[in-house]
Amino acid sequence: MDMLARSVQPWTKTNQFGGYMRFATVEIAGRAEPGLVSPDGQGFAPARAFVPGFTGDLVDLIARGPVPAPVGSVAWQSLAGLPLLAPIPAPRRNIFCVGKNYHEHAAEFANSGFDTSAAKGETAPEFPVVFTKPPSSVVADGAAVLPFAELTQQLDYEAELAVVIGRPGRGISRADALAHVWGYTIVNDITARDLQQRHRQWFLGKSMDSFCPMGPWIVTADEVGDPATLDVRCWVNGELRQQANTRDLIFDIPTIIATISAGITLLPGDIIATGTPAGVGIGFKPPKFLRPGDVMKIAIDKLGTLTNTVAA
Ligand code: MG
């Protein structure tokens, strides 16, 4: 047994939900266990260890409202030996996504010839472009992305900041929006460009199994602070492809939440991917599409890294 498996650390901070920093989901004895990641990132404590009688997933935990903070100290087990799942491995419904939400990316997409959704000559959208990916597309940090070679020859990556909703609501104002956010994570909005173009909508080309890598965990909103200050970077096989900051979003997170919730009740555990910056594969001439074996690594300030490999 290593040192961490027996280490005990004080419970030092709480937020409005009583949580601390990072929530992950791991596999223990064949079942998905949501819980806390220790401050040093090396330990894990299942939620059932500090929420009496709790047996649900992370969405259930979020939906309970305030999580009772452990009294005294937490016994961490080593995270290293536990298979990491997506923080929300089985979302209750589709992941909301925003397209063309950074100016330079909107321009590269418009100029790529792959965008069949834009009005002629339009680069930046006038209103948020919203689509969804199904729960079955979600995979964990470290999981393989399936290449679907029989369906697509134009596989692409999109590094994105994702918002996780805590407090439910409809008709949420921009001013109130961030109070509904429970935390943030990283999403890779994998896209088959040929399907996106051919079918003249975005669902099919972005929704295949494994096309929504997510994680490695959710960092609570209080720990992230202002979400409009985060550097987003993406490497493919070590080559830096995307580099931007969330301050450059065309439609900021409050606007996105206000737009979606105008007529749709947002629920605890809903996930919203906020769009990708410039530097996706179709932004290059010639395009740099993904190939089997390619390693995609996304880093966002305060959220860690999400790494996935295209399966052979
Ligand atoms: Mg996207």
Side-chain angles (χ1 to χ4, degrees), residues 98 131 158 160 189 206 275-276:
V98 182
F131 62 96
E158 295 191 349
E160 308 199 7
D189 177 18
K206 287 174 172 282
T276 201

Side-chain angles (χ1 to χ4, degrees), residues 12-37:
T12 53
K13 291 177 71 175
T14 59
N15 65 10
Q16 60 180 317
F17 301 97
Y20 179 84
M21 287 186 75
R22 290 170 285 191
F23 284 81
T25 297
V26 302
E27 190 180 311
I28 297 177
R31 61 170 303 223
E33 288 276 3
L36 280 168
V37 176

Side-chain angles (χ1 to χ4, degrees), residues 137-154:
S137 64
V138 172
V139 292
D141 176 42
V145 168
L146 303 175
F148 289 98
E150 73 283 12
L151 290 174
T152 176
Q153 300 300 309
Q154 298 181 338

